[in-house]
Amino acid sequence: MPVQLLKIRKEQSETPLPSHLQKEDLKHLQEGCNHTNKYIQGIVVLSYPLTKLRDGTDFFKIVLQGLDDLCSRINSINILIYGEMAEDCAKILRHGDTFIVTGFKVIKSPTAREDGRHGCHLEVSEEAGSTIYVQTKMLQIILPCSSGKSQYIFSVAPKYVYTPLNQLKDGTIVNLYGVVKFFKPPYVSKGTDYCSVVTLVDPSNAKLTCTLFNGNPDSLPKIYKVGDIVRFHRIKIREYNGQMQGITSGGFASLTFDGTVGAPVVPRTSSKMYTFMDEEHKTIEELRVWAASNISVPGPAAKLSSVQPMLFFDLTCQLIGKAKVDGSSFLLKVWDGTKCPYPTWRVPVEAKDLEGEKVLLHQLRNLMVDILVYDNHVQLAKSLKIGSFLRIYSIHTKQASADNEDVSRIEFHLHGGTCYGRGIRVLPESNPDVKELKAFLESVDLAGSQNMESMSSVELDDTFSGFTDFESYSQRCQQLSVTVLTDHQHLKNTELKTVITSAAPQQYRIRAKLRTYKPQKLHQSVKLHCSKCNSLQEVPDGDEFDFILRQSAITASNPELHNTSWYDSEMWTTQDQKQRNIVIHFIKHVEMLAWPENTLLMVEGGTLKEVWKLAERFKCVIPVRSTEDDLELLDLSAPFLLQGNVKYYGCKQCSAPKPMTCLSSIAAEEQPSWDPTEIAEVLGIVLLQYVFVMRFTLVDGTGALNAYLFDYENFFQIPASKILTSSFLQEKMQMTMNMLCPPGRKLGDLPWLECFIKSYNVRDAMKHQVCYQIFDTTIAGDVL
């Protein structure tokens, strides 16, 4: 039995370990030594997401802390688990579990110098004859493994307690049932995980919004529509702005059920192991009846035959073809067996770029529609398999006509972002809506559909032969090599002379050349912007920061503020002539032992060089000074936070700094993200954002105007916060500008840029001026 979960009674395991096994101390582990009949025991202090290696093998990594010394980092070791054991361990292991392993391989660790752990790591797999024992206080149930060769012992709770939504308390981890009132399909978060947001209600008349994260989107709740019922196990509750919120915690698991009264009670889950008791059927049925009369459950998804211009709707459909359009958009060709009552827009793509069965694409040309998806939806769209069934949420229909056509056409767009639940979900063939759609699609008369009238020549065989008049289309779509439009595809090109003579405010689509730009020294384009007071300021230089640090070091650290309930303090004395004292306050958290590079610390008395060295080693560093009652931030002329090589500043005018004790609320979280925005909020800081501010002089032969670029990271696809500390990014930005405005080239040789600009009025007591700003435009990927 390679993986066993053991029940604990009076600190002894119910099933003792085999008598021939002897415990091995971590400090005695060496590569090349014989560790047969030995076992390693410790506490799981850190686990990484389950991943797959290039050959498809499952891989799971944990960090084990030796029982002899729970505080020493050198007494911890990396354990690498492969194959089926990795998948099973990822589902059952929890932080704090006692982990025992035999039959392991001892390998020299290539990361020992970086992570400070044991000089070796352990490799564990069923093929190597490894056995894992995990001690738990739960009961056992024995299930056969998929191969049938051995058995795995997994834990099953005899009975779960479910908490009504009106009885949730801050800081607790609970089990609950709820009806979905709103949700966002899984999308890529700002980190590497996928995120899903769901708002739940129940008969207690309370509401709970949950933000769920997982590295695998299939492990998030499989919610298909409002009215679905979910069961969440081990979800953490926290209070924010007076409202309870749910977040994922270790061991989080979910089941989802169709909320339709009378539908089969079949749970949706990606887990191979779950419990669902007979009495829970009654809970599902009661929630279905309650939801039917208490929440607004939408009817069936709209059909293509019923769409209208300027409509937002959900569509259940089958994917027939897909193609890359540009760096920020992607084309999906879908059908649902019905015909749109309006002529539809066809997105031009080269035959080599279009995926899908050509014969079927030709057969369905009069029934399928082109949906253009943008920004954060592109990654998922690329991964979709031809023939899969989809539910696309919040599609937007627009009506527009090309310059050379009298008839207007319907365009289908899935805009970027996740507002209003925008997203794409792949539906399994077992889904009732898919079964109904498949039956309908099989009944469609394809021969009859090919004889339908009102089809334009653009909708016929151009899919395979390319567009005969691509230039006339490009005047409308303008797929240029230097810039890409990320929205507003319905806008027509406007000459600059018309823009200049028109009243503001308005939005325009223009095609022009970049004659010149300012500032020529690109690093000077980076500013700090306050979104609250709309002020701009220069980024302070390092000398100013160093001066503030040295001034704060004059004040001695208050020893009464050392070693509190939420941080530990260490005092270091420098070896220079002044023998200065530097005090480091380490935020207490379980990750401090296992993964100190992912924690936050506060520093008193350090110089600029010393603070930067700490920022290289730890995730977050906050410079502070002592008062009589608490630690406090330095002058806001200095950064309030350092993360990596980025300095974060607060607005002096809008911020109202709070004591550092406010950070304890984040430290109390099970998995704090130490996100700069969250840190700024709890400390009363209005965060200043790094932005690019440039002036472009644009010309098109009819006129010239100055347009301002005010952008965080979209236009150059480079974060403004990182440009000042990266010579590589500075060179990349310079190369981009040399492509847009090549030095020494005549105006006629400059490349064309297509962009959106908006006009706005600027008035003061002396004058009125119309200004222009570039928006929703980005540099094409092939330029970068």
Side-chain angles (χ1 to χ4, degrees), residues 467-487:
F467 285 83
T468 57
D469 191 12
F470 186 76
E471 275 303 316
S472 65
Y473 179 84
S474 67
Q475 292 177 4
R476 177 174 177 271
C477 215
Q478 291 299 328
Q479 296 181 356
L480 301 176
S481 61
V482 288
T483 49
V484 174
L485 306 178
T486 60
D487 204 345

Side-chain angles (χ1 to χ4, degrees), residues 476-741:
R476 177 174 177 271
C477 215
Q478 291 299 328
Q479 296 181 356
L480 301 176
S481 61
V482 288
T483 49
V484 174
L485 306 178
T486 60
D487 204 345
H488 319 290
Q489 304 293 340
H490 63 286
L491 289 179
K492 301 176 182 179
N493 280 337
T494 303
E495 293 180 336
L496 291 185
K497 68 177 182 180
T498 303
V499 175
I500 296 169
T501 57
S502 300
Q506 291 192 57
Q507 295 182 354
Y508 306 94
R509 178 177 182 164
I510 67 168
R511 188 169 183 259
K513 297 185 178 186
L514 178 58
R515 185 168 65 189
T516 186
Y517 61 90
K518 291 183 178 181
Q520 290 289 311
K521 295 180 179 180
L522 295 179
H523 67 274
Q524 296 176 351
S525 67
V526 181
K527 311 293 183 185
L528 291 171
H529 174 246
C530 177
S531 58
K532 188 172 183 180
C533 65
N534 207 31
S535 62
L536 278 174
Q537 67 180 61
E538 298 293 334
V539 180
D541 59 28
D543 292 341
E544 185 175 356
F545 184 23
D546 189 35
F547 176 77
I548 294 174
L549 286 173
R550 293 181 183 277
Q551 288 295 110
S552 68
I554 297 175
T555 304
S557 177
N558 183 354
E560 294 183 3
L561 301 178
H562 295 186
N563 298 310
T564 69
S565 62
W566 62 283
Y567 61 78
D568 291 325
S569 305
E570 294 287 343
M571 180 178 290
W572 299 340
T573 301
T574 64
Q575 300 302 311
D576 55 23
Q577 293 181 350
K578 296 183 179 180
Q579 291 191 327
R580 294 175 294 107
N581 290 329
I582 304 174
V583 182
I584 312 295
H585 306 284
F586 297 90
I587 305 299
K588 291 182 181 179
H589 196 272
V590 65
E591 288 190 347
M592 187 58 215
L593 292 175
W595 204 2
E597 62 269 21
N598 204 28
T599 192
L600 179 145
L601 57 84
M602 300 174 290
V603 57
E604 290 186 80
T607 63
L608 180 63
K609 184 177 180 180
E610 292 160 348
V611 169
W612 275 124
K613 280 189 173 293
L614 290 169
E616 291 175 0
R617 181 69 177 86
F618 297 92
K619 183 170 185 179
C620 298
V621 175
I622 299 180
V624 296
R625 59 189 168 203
S626 293
T627 65
E628 292 184 2
D629 303 319
D630 198 355
L631 300 175
E632 69 176 13
L633 294 171
L634 306 183
D635 184 338
L636 287 184
S637 297
F640 73 91
L641 172 69
L642 289 84
Q643 198 171 84
N645 57 7
V646 179
K647 297 179 286 187
Y648 292 91
Y649 293 86
C651 179
K652 288 185 177 181
Q653 179 176 333
C654 302
S655 300
K658 299 178 182 179
M660 300 306 295
T661 51
C662 296
L663 273 181
S664 60
S665 62
I666 305 181
E669 297 178 4
E670 183 172 348
Q671 293 180 321
S673 65
W674 301 122
D675 179 73
T677 303
E678 187 176 5
I679 294 173
E681 185 174 358
V682 300
L683 291 180
I685 302 297
V686 176
L687 187 65
L688 292 175
Q689 298 286 343
Y690 287 86
V691 295
F692 294 110
V693 181
M694 302 183 70
R695 190 181 76 177
F696 287 2
T697 300
L698 301 172
V699 296
D700 70 348
T702 70
L705 59 77
N706 292 322
Y708 290 94
L709 177 71
F710 184 89
D711 183 77
Y712 295 95
E713 60 181 23
N714 293 328
F715 185 81
F716 293 107
Q717 299 185 45
I718 298 174
S721 59
K722 297 183 179 180
I723 195 74
L724 296 178
T725 57
S726 172
S727 58
F728 169 76
L729 292 180
Q730 291 176 23
E731 292 174 4
K732 183 178 180 181
M733 186 176 176
Q734 185 64 66
M735 290 175 62
T736 300
M737 293 308 302
N738 288 344
M739 179 69 70
L740 301 180
C741 186

